[in-house]
Amino acid sequence: MTCEDTPVRLTWEIELLEPFSRVWLCRGYGRATTSADPADIARAVLAGYLAGTPARGGETFRAIARTDTGTEAVVTAAELTAGGWEAGPDVRQALPEYLRDALGEAPV
């Protein structure tokens, strides 16, 4: 096992921007212990959430994944449209079942 494969604890959040106060509101929260890249976790969490709860016009979503060691990855919904990314088995394993199910139906 290498250092890159050592699992780390991370916390992820799905946030919605409230346009009038410009405050990010938490829409989902979770924790995982995984060797997956935090950016991949954030991307998968946001893609799964938006597959199950599509954004209405004008809504701005983002996902943040933070490790206990301080590494942070922020992914916006606009970044999901780039394509070419696929959630690997280590990423899917770190997600709760409702996001795994939604992600399986989502064209990522």
Side-chain angles (χ1 to χ4, degrees):
M1 179 182 278
T2 65
C3 293
E4 293 80 30
D5 294 336
T6 303
V8 295
R9 292 184 309 174
L10 63 81
T11 303
W12 55 262
E13 294 177 63
I14 302 164
E15 298 179 330
L16 168 67
L17 180 64
E18 200 289 312
F20 299 107
S21 64
R22 306 292 297 165
V23 172
W24 288 98
L25 305 172
C26 185
R27 290 297 194 209
Y29 179 85
R31 295 181 182 162
T33 300
T34 181
S35 58
D37 182 38
D40 287 340
I41 296 293
R43 194 173 287 115
V45 163
L46 187 57
Y49 180 81
L50 292 175
T53 310
R56 297 183 297 237
E59 288 185 330
T60 303
F61 284 92
R62 73 178 182 184
I64 302 173
R66 292 181 186 94
T67 66
D68 285 354
T69 58
T71 306
E72 179 177 282
V74 179
V75 175
T76 64
E79 294 175 51
L80 295 178
T81 60
W85 175 82
E86 190 172 318
D90 55 341
V91 172
R92 289 182 181 272
Q93 183 180 17
L95 300 177
E97 186 174 357
Y98 76 97
L99 289 177
R100 274 195 306 257
D101 292 346
L103 193 59
E105 301 165 7
V108 178

